């Protein structure tokens, strides 16, 4: 058995009951196998064994009091995966499904993604099984303050800089930042995604969705296509989905569907994003309420969004939301490009269907890297005590996404699998970290 496959087998045995982490390791290690096996220096230095083992895993109790006066207890965790090229960087997720397996898969992906951005950021991820849905602002604050009362001692502007993810937006980051500042008595850039009045960056809110579409636009352009007049289906209706849809519309595409965990809406005339923002960003409501704004739209409960016919699909909700049957349905209906706004939304089987059918497929670690890249721009602005304009940040984001596309294209070509951006992204992300780890000795 090759070095790479041996490490994978051992890692699965050593980390049982972690299916999402197994999936992320399998996807990455199988695609980089030929590259790694042609570089014996990686095996000698135990690079893969070190890469799949987080540098540190912190798990803690988060007690807080709900509005009825009852004490609630959640799990909190931060996985500091790899700091070879910079401080740990990656979001916090608050969702009832959060487990160590999910945080490890996200942290592992983050290491490669952050490497691809070309910026000096290592990889980490964290979160809690806390469910913010239906909680009052006071309950959210109580939870965030308790979460930070433990996490603060493990993070710092040069150590670990968390950000948002599912269930963690501006409100939650504000509460956590406030508590952090109080505990350490220091005003520092320890979070990204902050409010604009206390060190946040313009365009950070839009960055993941916009970045996804910039990368898709470049990919289509280099294949003689464009988003103009194309029909696009976007899943989710949170931060990434909303701003991906906005940029598609700005580039002349028509977004006809969005979803949340309860169901999806189809609006043949094109989604009215101002209605979506009112529902999701102001009322924190459900996507089914869209019909109150556009009575002709159709709401369908449950899954099924991938059966809608489209040219381009952008899964922007959560992991494993698009399976093999969904991929076959998309291909059958003529979809020719897929970009992962979410982390690992397509299952491995679905990805295989896209690759076999020559669908242009942009994997999440490249396609959604615009969020963390702009977070790194926020860190730079904080260090320089300056604030760039929206256009300055947006221009930098755009050139980062075009660079990422060019780098993964070149890596795919070099590996003799042109247009396989999964392999390209994994090799390009891996090489920089592995070579840096070689330079830094056995640590
Ligand atoms: P939000 O919390 O803002 O939105 C998440 C959206 O996905 C909501 O519409 C939510 O619906 C839906 N969703 C969540 N879980 C499920 C599920 N199990 N089944 C179906 N739908 C679900 O999160 P973000 O937009 O920030 O994140 C979305 C994805 O993008 C995640 O995979 C995240 O890791 C990834 N990502 C985010 C970045 C960022 O900058 N925010 C950066 C890079 C990647 P509901 O409200 O019903 O739960």
């Amino acid at each position: 058995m090759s070095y790479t496959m041996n490490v994978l087998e051992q890692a699965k045995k050593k980390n049982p009951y972690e299916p999402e982490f197994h999936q992320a390791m399998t996807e990455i290690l199988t695609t980089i196998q030929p590259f790694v096996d042609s570089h014996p220096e990686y095996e000698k230095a135990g690079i893969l064994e070190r890469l799949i083992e987080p540098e540190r895993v912190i798990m803690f109790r988060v007690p807080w009091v709900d509005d009825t006066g009852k004490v609630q207890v959640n799990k909190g965790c931060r996985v500091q995966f790899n700091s070879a090229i910079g401080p740990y960087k990656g979001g916090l997720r608050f969702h009832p499904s959060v487990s160590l397996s999910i945080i490890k898969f996200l942290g592992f992906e983050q290491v490669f993604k952050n490497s691809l951005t070309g910026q000096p950021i290592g990889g980490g991820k964290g979160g809690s099984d806390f469910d913010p849905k239906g909680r009052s602002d006071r309950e959210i604050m109580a939870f965030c303050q308790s979460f930070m009362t433990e996490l603060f001692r493990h993070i710092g502007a040069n150590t670990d800089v968390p950000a948002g993810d599912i269930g963690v937006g501006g409100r939650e980051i504000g509460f956590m930042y406030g508590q952090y500042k109080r505990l350490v008595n220091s005003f520092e850039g320890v979070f990204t995604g902050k409010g604009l009045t206390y060190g946040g960056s313009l365009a950070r809110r839009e960055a993941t969705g916009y970045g996804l579409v910039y990368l898709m636009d470049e990919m289509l352009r280099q294949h003689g296509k464009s988003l103009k007049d194309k029909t696009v289906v976007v899943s989710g209706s949170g931060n990434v989905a909303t701003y991906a849809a906005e940029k598609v519309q700005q580039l002349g595409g028509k977004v006809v569907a969005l979803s949340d965990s309860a169901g999806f809406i189809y609006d043949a005339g094109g989604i009215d994003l101002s209605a979506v923002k009112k529902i999701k960003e102001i009322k924190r409501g459900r996507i089914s309420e869209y019909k109150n704004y556009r009575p002709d739209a159709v709401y369908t409960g449950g899954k099924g969004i991938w059966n809608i016919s489209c040219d381009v699909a952008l899964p922007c909700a959560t992991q494993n939301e698009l399976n093999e049957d969904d991929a076959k349905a998309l291909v059958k209906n003529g979809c020719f490009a897929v970009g992962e706004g979410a982390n690992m939304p397509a299952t491995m089987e679905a990805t295989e269907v896209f690759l076999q059918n020559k669908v242009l497929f942009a994997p999440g670690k490249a396609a959604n890297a615009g969020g963390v890249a702009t977070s790194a721009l926020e860190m730079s602005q904080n260090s320089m005590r300056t604030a760039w304009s929206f256009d300055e940040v947006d221009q930098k984001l755009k050139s980062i996404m075009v660079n990422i596309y060019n780098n993964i294209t070149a890596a795919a070509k070099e590996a003799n699998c042109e247009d396989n951006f999964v392999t390209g992204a994994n090799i390009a992300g891996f090489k920089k970290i592995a070579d840096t780890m070689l330079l830094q000795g056995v640590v």
Side-chain angles (χ1 to χ4, degrees), residues 6-16 22 25 52:
N6 190 31
V7 170
L8 179 60
E9 281 312 301
Q10 293 300 321
K12 284 183 180 169
K13 277 191 200 136
K14 282 191 196 170
N15 300 279
H22 290 188
M25 283 192 297
I52 52 148

Side-chain angles (χ1 to χ4, degrees), residues 85-248:
I85 59 175
Y88 310 107
K89 182 89 200 83
L92 295 171
R93 176 176 292 190
F94 293 169
H95 192 272
S97 66
V98 162
S99 63
L100 184 59
S101 171
I102 288 185
I103 298 299
K104 281 175 73 177
F105 118 65
L106 289 166
F108 190 57
E109 286 271 309
Q110 194 83 44
V111 173
F112 291 76
K113 181 189 309 190
N114 293 3
S115 165
L116 285 174
T117 65
Q119 287 160 308
I121 40 178
K125 198 84 188 188
S128 172
D129 60 355
F130 172 69
D131 186 359
K133 262 195 214 109
R135 291 291 179 189
S136 69
D137 284 354
R138 196 212 59 83
E139 288 177 316
I140 301 281
M141 181 169 74
F143 174 82
C144 288
Q145 290 183 338
S146 180
F147 186 85
M148 195 41 64
T149 301
E150 175 56 35
L151 188 65
F152 86 96
R153 68 188 86 246
H154 308 290
I155 61 177
N158 293 310
T159 310
D160 184 350
V161 184
D165 191 79
I166 291 178
V168 179
R171 174 182 58 170
E172 292 75 18
I173 287 174
F175 291 150
M176 286 190 275
Y177 187 78
Q179 184 73 350
Y180 177 86
K181 182 167 61 65
R182 187 179 182 199
L183 289 165
V184 301
N185 194 29
S186 167
F187 192 101
E188 50 178 292
V190 72
F191 262 93
T192 57
K194 298 187 292 296
L196 294 177
T197 52
Y198 63 96
S201 173
L202 285 163
R204 173 60 188 92
R205 182 185 56 179
E206 292 82 358
T208 309
Y210 276 24
L212 164 67
V213 179
Y214 288 145
L215 186 133
M216 295 303 286
D217 187 48
E218 183 63 18
M219 179 166 85
L220 294 179
R221 195 185 65 76
Q222 293 201 21
H223 288 83
K225 298 177 167 42
S226 84
L227 278 165
K228 190 152 175 32
D229 299 327
K230 300 299 179 308
T231 301
V232 182
V233 167
V234 181
S235 66
S237 49
N239 173 267
V240 180
T242 302
Y243 292 95
E246 184 167 282
K247 186 50 76 180
V248 167

